[in-house]
Amino acid sequence: MCNGGKKDYYAILRKSMVNSQIKARGVTDKRVLKVLEKVPRHLFVPDDLQSEAYNDYPLPIGEGQTISQPYIVARMTELAELKGDEKVLEIGTGSGYQAAILSLLCKEVYSIEIIESLAKSAEKRLKELNYKNVFVRHGDGYLGWTEVAPFDVILITCAPPYLPDSLIRQLKVGGRIVVPMGKEYETQILTVFLKKNGELIKTEYEPVRFVPMKGKIEQSK
Ligand code: SAH
């Protein structure tokens, strides 16, 4: 197959992924659906798994970590309610796929990854694919990114047992945090916190399964 053919092939797989996995489960935000159809997810997974990139499950990306199932990426992105001019903090860069999706829907994405090799490879990949408004840092997301705070949206793609105060402080009033909250795999719930006049309003959505958020958070409570 020539390159053009292969490109079209993946575009067809993406369209079908959006229809059968994402629209079918109730994601309606047109901007989100469009971006899921655009970002080449197969370039964010290891070479030997490219043919599975558009299937309905998470995939390993090395270091015992995974790229989330496409539907979950879409669902979390929809809950972020991005309009285009936001500054977003992502915790858990992983492959960089979620960051790439966000980058097409907001102004800037700052993404923190605790495993150095993943941070480096995601940064390289995002640069090669020309996602110019994504900034990756190797570090502990528990601390946030003080130099560029505050953020309009914080999206956490690993599961913390509680919401770190540091991240609440780095969220603008009127901003939102989208996070799989939970101590154990079995009890994680996709949750949105809205910051309003000094209080956080919590809304819980469906159960999810993410790798635990590690780092300083484990030692502190
Ligand atoms: N968003 C990623 C998938 C995330 S998997 C993607 O699109 O591919 C969860 C990631 O969170 C893992 O890479 C894990 O190393 C990272 N992680 C776990 N605890 C963290 C912490 N305290 N700070 C930053 N990253 C963390």
Side-chain angles (χ1 to χ4, degrees), residues 49-160:
L49 293 174
Q50 283 200 355
S51 62
E52 292 182 58
Y54 299 100
N55 294 356
D56 196 11
Y57 43 78
L59 287 170
I61 52 170
E63 308 285 350
Q65 305 304 317
T66 54
I67 177 173
S68 306
Q69 177 191 14
Y71 163 70
I72 292 294
V73 174
R75 182 74 176 123
M76 289 183 81
T77 308
E78 181 176 57
L79 290 173
E81 294 191 14
L82 298 168
K83 302 284 179 276
D85 59 354
E86 298 87 351
K87 191 162 37 158
V88 177
L89 175 67
E90 181 197 24
I91 310 293
T93 317
S95 67
Y97 177 67
Q98 172 78 73
I101 294 281
L102 293 168
S103 78
L104 299 179
L105 296 166
C106 69
K107 193 166 157 212
E108 287 166 347
V109 180
Y110 294 85
S111 186
I112 306 177
E113 170 56 54
I114 202 165
I115 299 176
E116 188 169 13
S117 60
L118 289 179
K120 281 201 171 130
S121 55
E123 187 174 30
K124 182 165 173 270
R125 175 180 298 124
L126 288 160
K127 198 172 171 200
E128 280 167 6
L129 294 174
N130 224 9
Y131 292 97
K132 292 203 169 83
N133 57 341
V134 185
F135 307 93
V136 178
R137 164 193 267 192
H138 164 234
D140 185 348
Y142 172 81
L143 303 168
W145 197 321
T146 45
E147 300 90 323
V148 280
F151 300 95
D152 299 282
V153 168
I154 299 179
L155 194 132
I156 307 181
T157 63
C158 40

Side-chain angles (χ1 to χ4, degrees), residues 186-205:
E186 293 72 27
T187 57
Q188 291 174 18
I189 304 278
L190 190 53
T191 307
V192 174
F193 293 92
L194 275 180
K195 189 172 180 177
K196 287 218 166 137
N197 310 319
E199 61 166 343
L200 280 180
I201 299 164
K202 176 178 170 183
T203 311
E204 293 189 327
Y205 295 88

Side-chain angles (χ1 to χ4, degrees), residues 12 16 43 86 127 139 142 148 170 175 184 193 197 206-207 218:
I12 291 165
S16 132
L43 300 180
E86 298 87 351
K127 198 172 171 200
Y142 172 81
V148 280
Q170 291 180 33
E184 284 105 30
F193 293 92
N197 310 319
E206 62 261 40
E218 279 180 344

